[in-house]
Amino acid sequence: MPTPPLAGSTTGPAALRPLIDTVLTALHDGAHRRDGPLPTGGPDAVTPRMRTATHPVIPDHGTDPHDALHTLISALAEGAADPADPLCAAHLHTPPLALAAAADLAASALNPSMDSWDQAPAASALEADITAALATEIYPHQPSPDALITTGGTEANQLALLLARERNGPVQTICATNAHHSITRAAWLLGLPAPVAIPAPTGVMDLAALDEALTELHRPLLVTATAGTTDTGQIDPLADIADLCTTHGAELHIDAAYGGPLLFSPTHRGKVHGLDRAHSVTLDLHKLGWQPAPAGILATPDRTHLDVLHHRASYLNAHDDTEAGLPDLLGRSLRTTRRPDALKIAVTLKALGRTGLADLIDHTIAAAHHLADLIAKTPTLDLYDRPTISTVLFRPTDADDNTVATIRRTLLTRGHAVLGRAHTDNRLWLKATLLNPHTTPDDLRTLLDLVNHLANDLAEGNTPR
């Protein structure tokens, strides 16, 4: 029988209640059809299963809403990489806090659009307070710091280069070879000269090379340092870099997408000493903040640095409306329509506080150090270095790069574990990026056992399937 018109199309928060149980059941059912952190079989198995669930993508007649939810969400959960599984440790991909995910559901249901006050009256006030508070964490001694909410580090880094260009003209960016790829892409998008990449022979920016580059290059210059590199999790010597920038009259941007939240930990905040000396700072709370993506931040030491983003569209921020006191939101982003991502951040900060966030961060870093200890005590494995944050690189002793790559892909295809890869020190390494505060020593031993068993099989000439 054809679905009646408008069936399942009820809108607004009140319509959620009968659907939430279906969503939770579907998540549970899908996850239970997956035996590990990743579905088995690789792309050749996952893609057909998902296509079966979605076909036809656009039917002539719709189905029951509960059936549609259960079919697609359970299929997605079955085929998901589960960041809450302790053996899912490849990327800066966190298991989001349940309370943050719940807040995100509320944001979707209420659907404020953060481009004009009349679409987001309360959400605009909340965002203003949250961004100011986060900026103050980074710039505690500045009278009026501010921040923008972004889709992540890539957008935040692009905004940082844009602001530097608008202050100074076509800036020449200087970064180390350890910098995130978004720096080069941002320069390209903005029509700026390609960044000058200086060496990072120990994994962090070489200060002598930076001094030489700052001496030889023409002004205006923007140095971009990194607090938490993607490959190794190392942190550039931020205070020393800031000193060189001051000496040479260069501006400084710090990409602290990974390491910035260390500010919340009394134990580890010293690792990002010097963050407050940057002209702008990138922060990602969907990494060491356990938020559902996106939850990026770009902070500046003075809110007037953001004035260049002002834009007028009469239907959103007419002169007489702003003069009458309605807040102007268009200068808060390069995007127009955008979600109220401040809500999930605000709920998390209120529920956990400084001590709760510090506890999550400290437990996560402690797990990374425990993993490094286990590797160092295992004669069949080599450890790259002690972790700076929560990234641990290792590889089977005497294995070549092809073997390391094969081990990783085999773990992925079998769905047993999700490890990343990093090429440094002229070798390929397995990368474990620990972001699950509930990871146990037994979980870590299981991970290393999986790697060792595969390495032994390959050494004996057995081809993984």
Side-chain angles (χ1 to χ4, degrees), residues 282-342:
T282 288
L283 188 71
D284 264 2
L285 292 174
H286 51 247
K287 295 182 172 67
L288 279 178
W290 292 277
Q291 299 300 291
I297 302 290
L298 178 73
T300 62
D302 194 304
R303 64 170 60 99
T304 61
H305 291 183
L306 303 174
D307 288 349
V308 297
L309 298 177
H310 173 75
H311 179 67
R312 181 72 63 185
S314 60
Y315 74 102
L316 294 173
N317 59 349
H319 285 286
D320 57 321
D321 279 348
T322 55
E323 289 171 2
L326 295 184
D328 180 355
L329 305 185
L330 277 188
R332 303 296 299 174
S333 177
L334 290 181
R335 295 170 284 150
T336 304
T337 302
R338 58 189 180 88
R339 301 179 76 254
D341 289 311

Side-chain angles (χ1 to χ4, degrees), residues 40-385:
T40 59
D44 291 342
V46 174
T47 302
R49 285 200 298 267
M50 197 67 217
R51 284 179 176 162
T52 298
T54 57
H55 182 77
V57 176
I58 307 178
D60 290 332
H61 302 287
T63 186
D64 175 76
H66 293 274
D67 179 66
L69 276 171
H70 190 276
T71 298
L72 292 179
I73 292 175
S74 62
L76 193 68
E78 179 184 2
D82 180 9
D85 190 300
L87 302 186
C88 190
H91 303 286
L92 291 162
H93 181 200
T94 54
L97 294 167
L99 66 95
D104 216 25
L105 172 63
S108 293
L110 293 167
N111 203 30
S113 184
M114 305 299 296
D115 50 312
S116 67
W117 183 87
D118 58 352
Q119 298 175 86
S124 61
L126 177 66
E127 181 180 272
D129 287 348
I130 288 298
T131 51
L134 290 171
T136 300
E137 290 296 315
I138 296 170
Y139 298 107
H141 308 299
Q142 297 296 331
S144 57
D146 203 356
L148 304 177
I149 293 182
T150 72
T151 54
T154 294
E155 183 189 349
N157 286 338
Q158 182 182 342
L159 279 170
L161 268 65
L162 172 64
L163 294 177
R165 186 192 72 180
E166 295 304 293
R167 284 194 299 269
N168 304 297
V171 293
Q172 173 63 68
T173 303
I174 303 171
C175 62
T177 54
N178 65 358
H180 192 262
H181 64 83
S182 61
I183 300 297
T184 299
R185 175 169 280 193
W188 168 68
L189 285 169
L190 294 167
L192 297 173
V196 172
I198 60 175
T202 63
V204 298
M205 184 180 289
D206 183 271
L207 292 172
L210 175 61
D211 191 17
E212 182 179 352
L214 289 170
T215 301
E216 294 180 354
L217 291 170
H218 298 295
R219 304 316 188 256
L221 301 175
L222 174 70
V223 175
T224 63
T226 307
T229 61
T230 304
D231 277 350
T232 63
Q234 290 172 274
I235 297 173
D236 286 335
L238 304 179
D240 292 334
I241 291 170
D243 288 342
L244 286 173
C245 289
T246 299
T247 298
H248 292 278
E251 291 195 353
L252 174 62
H253 169 65
I254 298 177
D255 178 0
Y258 182 11
L262 296 180
L263 284 171
F264 289 105
S265 167
T267 304
H268 296 288
R269 69 165 58 109
K271 295 176 180 178
V272 289
H273 174 67
L275 208 61
D276 61 329
R277 296 179 61 186
H279 290 76
S280 54
V281 173
T282 288
L283 188 71
D284 264 2
L285 292 174
H286 51 247
K287 295 182 172 67
L288 279 178
W290 292 277
Q291 299 300 291
I297 302 290
L298 178 73
T300 62
D302 194 304
R303 64 170 60 99
T304 61
H305 291 183
L306 303 174
D307 288 349
V308 297
L309 298 177
H310 173 75
H311 179 67
R312 181 72 63 185
S314 60
Y315 74 102
L316 294 173
N317 59 349
H319 285 286
D320 57 321
D321 279 348
T322 55
E323 289 171 2
L326 295 184
D328 180 355
L329 305 185
L330 277 188
R332 303 296 299 174
S333 177
L334 290 181
R335 295 170 284 150
T336 304
T337 302
R338 58 189 180 88
R339 301 179 76 254
D341 289 311
L343 176 60
K344 60 196 175 192
I345 299 171
V347 168
T348 300
L349 293 174
K350 189 171 185 66
L352 271 65
R354 296 177 189 279
T355 56
L357 276 173
D359 191 49
L360 291 176
I361 291 166
D362 292 350
H363 273 80
T364 301
I365 294 176
H369 280 273
H370 186 74
L371 177 60
D373 290 339
L374 290 175
I375 294 166
K377 294 174 183 176
T378 305
T380 55
L381 297 173
D382 292 339
L383 175 69
Y384 172 72
D385 203 355

